[in-house]
Amino acid sequence: GMSDYVTKPINLATLKTALIKWMDGKMSSVPVAPHVSDAREAKIEEETRELKVWDEADALKRLGGKKELLHKIMQSFLEESARMMGALHEAITAGDLPNAQLHSHSIKGASGNVSGQQVNALAKMIEFAAKNGDKSVIKEGYKTLNNAMEELCAVFKKELAQNTQSEKRKKRLDPLQIAIKLQNLKKEIQAGTFIDTDAVGIFGEYADEAFTARISALKGHIERFDTVQALEELETIMAGLE
């Protein structure tokens, strides 16, 4: 009773296209994807050398450009990576091919969701080898996968650490201090004084994103010498502080 399917990792654009297709009643035949050949699978490990450790642009595209959501998924991946790799190693050590296939499939899906290309390809290789009982490929593949996983996790930790530092650098909104500086700035704009926006002390990133957008717009008006727009924006910002 299934009309169609979308493979993991899920791409929002692909999912939207599939939904529109069937909701509109356009019941065109669905082409069946060809099976990947054994030769192709055997070359996956070699091909991973040309793949990215992490494709940030691809991950963001899948999530509609929502970086905050991506960071949450990356954090979840980091928390689960050791467990997934441990379960896979345990299955391989015990010669449990069905579970080796199951756990490598899980790693393949998780890494695909965060666009960890090398880990994804290697996990796919091990899954295929487990399915076909190729223990030598599984054993060697795990070593390469483990190294790739460590590299991917290191990249994620660095990215998340930089994001945390960026959040800490964002200014806290002090309405009283901002209001005083805006009043002084208003007088300078009205007097036609040249204003060095970098020296004013109120422009920058704030924890309040809406305020950041307003103050950035004001900065732009001042730097373009657009006095009327600058004063209007300034008044809007001040009204929001009350």
Side-chain angles (χ1 to χ4, degrees), residues 84-108:
M84 290 190 295
M85 290 298 293
L88 176 59
H89 183 262
E90 189 175 312
I92 292 172
T93 302
D96 186 348
L97 296 185
N99 267 324
Q101 182 181 349
L102 174 66
H103 295 310
S104 57
H105 179 80
S106 296
I107 294 170
K108 180 184 74 174

Side-chain angles (χ1 to χ4, degrees), residues 71-218:
H71 285 161
K72 288 181 180 178
I73 295 174
M74 288 164 62
Q75 184 62 51
S76 177
F77 181 87
L78 283 174
E79 293 168 358
E80 288 291 312
S81 60
R83 182 195 61 77
M84 290 190 295
M85 290 298 293
L88 176 59
H89 183 262
E90 189 175 312
I92 292 172
T93 302
D96 186 348
L97 296 185
N99 267 324
Q101 182 181 349
L102 174 66
H103 295 310
S104 57
H105 179 80
S106 296
I107 294 170
K108 180 184 74 174
S111 59
N113 286 334
V114 292
S115 297
Q117 292 186 347
Q118 290 184 7
V119 169
N120 180 263
L122 288 164
K124 181 179 180 182
M125 179 193 70
I126 293 174
E127 180 187 16
F128 184 83
K131 181 180 180 181
N132 290 279
D134 195 336
K135 293 184 178 180
S136 61
V137 171
I138 295 171
K139 185 177 180 181
E140 292 303 314
Y142 178 82
K143 295 177 183 177
T144 308
L145 173 62
N146 192 52
N147 291 335
M149 179 65 83
E150 288 180 355
E151 189 173 1
L152 178 61
C153 287
V155 169
F156 282 3
K157 287 175 183 177
K158 182 178 179 180
E159 169 69 17
L160 292 173
Q162 289 175 341
N163 178 66
T164 300
Q165 290 172 0
S166 176
E167 287 296 323
K168 287 181 178 178
R169 284 196 297 268
K170 288 183 178 180
K171 298 179 180 181
R172 295 294 173 184
L173 187 59
D174 184 333
L176 179 59
Q177 290 298 319
I178 293 293
I180 292 171
K181 291 184 178 181
L182 285 174
Q183 284 287 9
N184 293 332
L185 184 59
K186 180 179 179 180
K187 292 175 183 177
E188 292 182 12
I189 294 173
Q190 291 173 330
T193 307
F194 173 76
I195 299 168
D196 180 358
T197 53
D198 292 331
V200 173
I202 61 171
F203 298 111
E205 264 196 292
Y206 288 81
D208 185 329
E209 293 183 3
F211 184 80
T212 297
R214 285 288 190 188
I215 208 75
S216 295
L218 174 59

Side-chain angles (χ1 to χ4, degrees), residues 15 25 37 42 53 59 64 66-67 72 86 90 100 116 122 127 129 166 215 223 228 231:
L15 176 60
S37 68
V53 174
K66 299 175 181 177
K67 199 160 190 174
K72 288 181 180 178
E90 189 175 312
L122 288 164
E127 180 187 16
S166 176
I215 208 75
E223 291 176 347
V228 175
L231 288 171

